[in-house]
Amino acid sequence: MKRPRLVAPSLVDRLVGVFSPAAQLRRQVARTALASANGGYNGGKRDRRGMQNYLPDGGSANTDTSPDLPMLRARSRDLRRNVPLATGAIATRITNVIGEGLRVLPQVDGDALGLSKKAARDWNRKARAEFALACWTADFTGVNSFDELQALVFGSAEESGDVLVIRRYRRDPGDTYGVKLQVIEADRLSNPNNHMDSDTIVGGVEASGDGVVLAYHVSDRHPGDTFRKAMSWRRIPAFYNDGRPICLHIFKRLRPDQARGVPFLSPVIEAFKQLGTYSEAEIEAAVLAAFFTVFVKTPDGQSGPLASTGEDLRSGKETVGLGKGAIVDLAEGEDIVIANPSRPNQNFDPFVLAILKQIGAALELPFELLIKHFSASYSASRAALEMAWQTFRRERAWIIRNLCQPYYEMVLEEAIVMGRIEAPGFFDDPAIRRAWLNAAWYGPVKMSLDPKKDADADAGDLANRTKTRSQIIMERTGGDIESVFEQLGYEAKLAEENGLSSGAKAPMAGPAEDGSGNAKDNPEPEKEDDNDT
């Protein structure tokens, strides 16, 4: 192993060496060891001028997070309420990830269960219809449908960092299913009696020594409510004995062992707040500039009496209130000096856009989408939307995995117990259970800047057999192929019954096919009928 070369002696080292060469050598050896300990990354060195005062704490995930969460939540909620850009950032994500609600497409594994194609399709339709019944009464409070609950849960997790969803049961009059979801805001998930975090409970989340979540501690009300009696806490197990979930803790774990989520706006809270304050100041300055601000100038430098004046209670001097189209009479010898506030500020827009680009990078939202303004070229705007869509797809998969699919499984479980759906072996074998519960989900489609180009691209993919019609329908319209084809068949039949031509060609047809299903390379063009109008 190569020994490190001694660092050059400093001035102090040389002065020490005059009296004690051995002491100088020890100092150089110590400084060499310190330099070696810093490693090869400039960002980790302690002796660089730009890094000397940059000494962040190196705590655990919970130590770095938990103490700041109450203030982060409060500030994040305030930004969402009062700063338009922060409001728009979260609203944009909800609109593109959830939209009108994510819909299920049951896809039972017929091969694993020994079902025919027709039997599997029939079971999927039945399961989808039963789940639709449960979605209308999914909210334990009776306010929201499941589609609305998705937006509430996703938005709350963005705003507060996490949200707890508890499985409950109450079958009200008129309900087909009794399984429901109760949404608990992040502040109610807390340590009993507001005790400090311990080795087993952090932020209301109880875990084993191995980090396995065992239970959640929930207060009976929000700590910010106005109430008189003392708060109480309830311990809710995370799972049933057979492993089925009771509580769904919706949050993104950014570090190992992290117990609670961090608000989505946390990295940009200060930037958003300062930008909001700056915008308000510019608006106020522009309003004052519109009032044509003036100062009164007297010959002797003293303020004189003015007509239609008020009195400044702090200085005792008379004041003039500015207003739209106000005319003020001046005393003899007095003149006015017009103040030029230079508003509106010509640099306001470029400066704000520069800050928004940084905020957009942190939130994975292109600034064009953040401000809902596309001023760049077509290709640049399309690239921005494509990048945003990658984020929306990931977020959608996250909410499906943590909320939508678990609730779908809860509903089917109750349907099977009630005998509304038959699923042999559902409760006997986890593998069979999973085969019955297999499903896909779809939601809002990707925004299209040029639908014709996208349609041509889909037709090309279909012709090359690199995409299926089912994929295209889900991506372009958000529906499912069975519903679309059934509707097309109904419309064609209805047009034929009424002596009309449907006017629709085969959906997204690729190369023409012969009777055997093989594509023809050079299909003959259709002959036009002169009698068609």
Side-chain angles (χ1 to χ4, degrees):
M1 180 177 178
K2 184 177 180 180
R3 297 179 59 184
R5 184 176 180 180
L6 288 177
V7 298
S10 64
L11 177 60
V12 177
D13 291 337
R14 291 195 294 269
L15 290 175
V16 171
V18 173
F19 302 97
S20 175
Q24 175 187 350
L25 181 60
R26 287 196 298 270
R27 286 176 59 87
Q28 283 186 262
V29 170
R31 292 203 304 118
T32 301
L34 181 61
S36 300
N38 284 337
Y41 289 94
N42 290 337
K45 295 186 182 298
R46 298 171 178 83
D47 57 348
R48 296 181 67 85
R49 185 182 300 274
M51 296 293 177
Q52 288 178 353
N53 297 322
Y54 183 31
L55 302 172
D57 295 330
S60 66
N62 294 322
T63 302
D64 287 346
T65 303
S66 296
D68 295 331
L69 282 180
M71 184 57 67
L72 288 175
R73 293 190 197 114
R75 288 174 173 171
S76 176
R77 292 165 185 164
D78 181 74
L79 290 177
R80 188 182 182 187
R81 289 192 299 263
N82 299 310
V83 177
L85 288 171
T87 305
I90 294 180
T92 297
R93 287 167 62 86
I94 294 176
T95 299
N96 287 275
V97 174
I98 305 297
E100 304 91 349
L102 302 177
R103 308 298 170 83
V104 69
L105 282 176
Q107 295 181 349
V108 62
D109 190 346
D111 293 337
L113 298 170
L115 299 177
S116 65
K117 298 290 185 182
K118 183 180 183 304
R121 283 196 300 268
D122 292 342
W123 196 95
N124 288 337
R125 290 185 180 183
K126 179 64 175 176
R128 188 177 185 183
E130 294 297 321
F131 183 68
L133 289 175
C135 286
W136 287 107
T137 58
D139 186 8
F140 186 73
T141 63
V143 176
N144 297 314
S145 67
F146 184 59
D147 293 338
E148 295 165 330
L149 275 184
Q150 295 173 34
L152 174 64
V153 170
F154 186 80
S156 298
E158 297 278 281
E159 183 181 69
S160 303
D162 57 4
V163 64
L164 188 68
V165 181
I166 303 175
R167 176 176 180 167
R168 303 292 298 270
Y169 186 89
R170 189 186 69 239
R171 192 172 177 183
D172 298 324
D175 289 356
T176 304
Y177 291 95
V179 61
K180 303 182 188 302
L181 300 177
Q182 182 181 9
V183 182
I184 304 296
E185 197 164 28
D187 307 73
R188 291 181 58 187
L189 179 58
S190 56
N191 293 341
N193 300 313
N194 293 318
H195 287 167
M196 298 291 291
D197 291 341
S198 64
D199 292 338
T200 56
I201 303 179
V202 176
V205 180
E206 180 181 338
S208 67
D210 295 328
V212 179
V213 177
L214 302 176
Y216 298 92
H217 296 261
V218 179
S219 63
D220 60 345
R221 67 196 73 186
H222 193 285
D225 278 342
T226 302
F227 50 83
R228 296 180 180 178
K229 67 177 184 179
M231 294 172 58
S232 61
W233 277 260
R234 182 161 60 105
R235 182 184 184 274
I236 305 175
F239 302 96
Y240 291 109
N241 293 334
D242 59 3
R244 291 175 299 129
I246 300 175
C247 299
L248 306 174
H249 190 191
I250 314 296
F251 80 105
K252 297 183 181 71
R253 176 171 280 183
L254 304 178
R255 294 176 58 183
D257 302 325
Q258 182 179 337
R260 301 297 303 272
V262 179
F264 170 65
L265 298 178
S266 294
V268 295
I269 284 179
E270 185 175 3
F272 263 137
K273 179 59 179 174
Q274 298 287 36
L275 195 59
T277 303
Y278 174 57
S279 299
E280 291 176 0
E282 286 290 344
I283 293 173
E284 292 177 2
V287 171
L288 291 177
F291 284 165
F292 206 59
T293 309
V294 300
F295 294 96
V296 177
K297 180 180 180 182
T298 60
D300 56 359
Q302 300 295 326
S303 60
L306 296 175
S308 303
T309 62
E311 183 177 352
D312 189 337
L313 299 179
R314 293 172 296 179
S315 63
K317 296 180 180 180
E318 294 177 332
T319 60
V320 179
L322 299 175
K324 294 177 288 185
I327 300 177
V328 179
D329 294 330
L330 301 179
E332 184 178 356
E334 291 183 335
D335 193 6
I336 63 173
V337 177
I338 300 174
N340 182 16
S342 301
R343 291 297 187 277
N345 186 355
Q346 296 181 353
N347 295 322
F348 174 77
D349 194 57
F351 175 76
V352 170
L353 290 181
I355 300 300
L356 288 179
K357 290 177 182 178
Q358 299 182 35
I359 292 176
L363 301 181
E364 288 192 279
L365 278 176
F367 89 99
E368 295 96 340
L369 199 58
L370 186 62
I371 63 176
K372 306 297 190 299
H373 180 67
F374 293 84
S375 57
S377 64
Y378 168 81
S379 56
S381 298
R382 183 180 178 87
L385 291 177
E386 290 288 347
M387 293 178 63
W389 184 246
Q390 298 300 320
T391 300
F392 298 148
R393 287 180 58 188
R394 187 192 69 232
E395 296 297 314
R396 184 179 298 176
W398 171 75
I399 197 67
I400 289 172
R401 183 171 57 253
N402 289 277
L403 175 68
C404 299
Q405 183 67 22
Y407 180 62
Y408 171 71
E409 296 178 4
M410 295 176 191
V411 171
L412 285 196
E413 176 186 308
E414 184 179 1
I416 294 169
V417 170
M418 294 171 62
R420 295 181 64 90
I421 296 180
E422 294 184 2
F426 185 87
F427 296 103
D428 300 331
D429 188 339
I432 295 178
R433 174 188 176 92
R434 182 54 49 194
W436 286 114
L437 295 175
N438 191 43
W441 294 77
Y442 67 92
V445 298
K446 181 172 61 175
M447 185 187 305
S448 176
L449 295 180
D450 193 336
K452 186 178 185 306
K453 288 185 178 179
D454 292 338
D456 292 340
D458 288 337
D461 287 336
L462 194 63
N464 295 327
R465 293 180 172 83
T466 55
K467 236 180 198 181
T468 66
R469 286 184 172 87
S470 180
Q471 288 176 307
I472 294 173
I473 290 173
M474 291 186 67
E475 293 175 0
R476 293 289 303 280
T477 64
D480 65 285
I481 190 169
E482 289 188 6
S483 299
V484 171
F485 276 28
E486 285 177 0
Q487 182 65 23
L488 289 173
Y490 168 76
E491 292 177 2
K493 183 178 180 181
L494 185 64
E496 183 180 353
E497 291 175 352
N498 290 274
L500 302 174
S501 173
S502 64
K505 297 181 180 179
M508 295 171 292
E513 296 180 351
D514 57 24
S516 63
N518 298 321
K520 295 181 179 180
D521 293 333
N522 297 307
E524 296 181 0
E526 296 180 357
K527 295 183 180 179
E528 297 183 358
D529 190 346
D530 295 336
N531 296 324
D532 288 344
T533 56

